[in-house]
Amino acid sequence: MSPDEGSRYAFVCPGCAESIAVDESMRDVLLERGCVICETSVTTAAFRRVRSMDTREL
């Protein structure tokens, strides 16, 4: 298992400010395709690693 596998992230879109908790695979899709709400391109700067999927950490 890689160090990032199973990681959880808080995502905040730089375009529309939508905030969601994502896992590693969702993070990869967002990086590849952009925000699902506004289609803004996304970089790794839009993600912050969190301890859990608890939305209070967003």
Side-chain angles (χ1 to χ4, degrees), residues 11 13-17 30-31 33-43:
F11 166 69
C13 176
C16 67
L30 287 164
L31 287 168
R33 298 184 183 170
C35 177
V36 297
I37 305 297
C38 71
E39 299 180 356
T40 295
S41 295
V42 174
T43 67

Side-chain angles (χ1 to χ4, degrees), residues 8-35:
R8 307 283 190 243
Y9 299 89
F11 166 69
V12 179
C13 176
C16 67
E18 180 70 25
S19 298
I20 58 173
V22 299
D23 63 16
E24 186 71 23
S25 63
M26 292 168 68
R27 178 181 174 268
D28 292 344
V29 170
L30 287 164
L31 287 168
E32 181 181 318
R33 298 184 183 170
C35 177

